[in-house]
């Protein structure tokens, strides 16, 4: 078949987008219980129970864990709430 063909514009990839991706990190401490950390991750970061539990164990055994990725605007309120709860978190 001949004739002109309309080419759709190429799809944007994550590399093309100028989005500032950051990581919210949770650090291990000797103060908070597993149950409290899991509950906090569910309530603040919208993790499901299994995801929150896995993050808690990774944090315990490795010293830290990426608990959420996104923009600074998304992560900063979560960081502030988690700090208010006594958890040790940073955004990188």
């Amino acid at each position: 078949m001949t004739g002109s063909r309309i080419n759709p514009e190429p799809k944007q990839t994550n590399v093309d987008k100028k989005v500032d991706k950051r990581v919210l990190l949770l650090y291990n401490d000797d103060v908070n219980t597993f149950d409290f950390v899991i509950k906090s991750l569910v309530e603040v970061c919208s993790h499901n129970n299994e995801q929150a539990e896995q993050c808690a164990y990774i944090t315990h055994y490795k010293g830290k864990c990426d608990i959420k990725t996104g923009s600074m605007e998304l992560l900063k309120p979560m960081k502030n709430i988690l700090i208010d709860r006594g958890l040790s978190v940073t955004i990188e």
Side-chain angles (χ1 to χ4, degrees), residues 19-25 66-76 90-92:
V19 176
D20 185 24
K21 289 288 183 182
R22 303 288 180 115
V23 178
L24 183 60
L25 289 167
D66 299 1
I67 56 173
K68 198 78 165 177
T69 58
S71 67
M72 182 63 82
E73 293 78 24
L74 172 72
L75 300 180
K76 193 169 183 180
T90 61
I91 298 173
E92 292 185 5

Side-chain angles (χ1 to χ4, degrees), residues 2 7 11 17 26 30 34 44 52 80 83:
T2 61
N7 290 328
K11 293 182 181 178
K17 295 178 184 175
L26 173 66
D30 294 326
F34 277 96
V44 178
N80 292 338
I83 287 173

Side-chain angles (χ1 to χ4, degrees), residues 22-36:
R22 303 288 180 115
V23 178
L24 183 60
L25 289 167
L26 173 66
Y27 293 90
N28 191 34
D29 63 40
D30 294 326
V31 179
N32 296 293
T33 65
F34 277 96
D35 288 338
F36 180 73

Side-chain angles (χ1 to χ4, degrees), residues 13-86:
T13 64
N14 287 338
V15 175
D16 296 333
K17 295 178 184 175
K18 299 292 183 195
V19 176
D20 185 24
K21 289 288 183 182
R22 303 288 180 115
V23 178
L24 183 60
L25 289 167
L26 173 66
Y27 293 90
N28 191 34
D29 63 40
D30 294 326
V31 179
N32 296 293
T33 65
F34 277 96
D35 288 338
F36 180 73
V37 172
I38 292 165
K39 180 180 178 184
S40 295
L41 294 176
V42 168
E43 292 175 358
V44 178
C45 301
S46 301
H47 286 195
N48 62 40
N49 282 330
E50 183 179 2
Q51 182 183 17
E53 189 174 312
Q54 289 172 349
C55 288
Y57 279 106
I58 290 168
T59 302
H60 178 72
Y61 288 111
K62 296 201 177 232
K64 65 181 178 179
C65 180
D66 299 1
I67 56 173
K68 198 78 165 177
T69 58
S71 67
M72 182 63 82
E73 293 78 24
L74 172 72
L75 300 180
K76 193 169 183 180
M78 292 179 191
K79 174 189 172 222
N80 292 338
I81 294 168
L82 292 171
I83 287 173
D84 287 346
R85 290 179 178 221

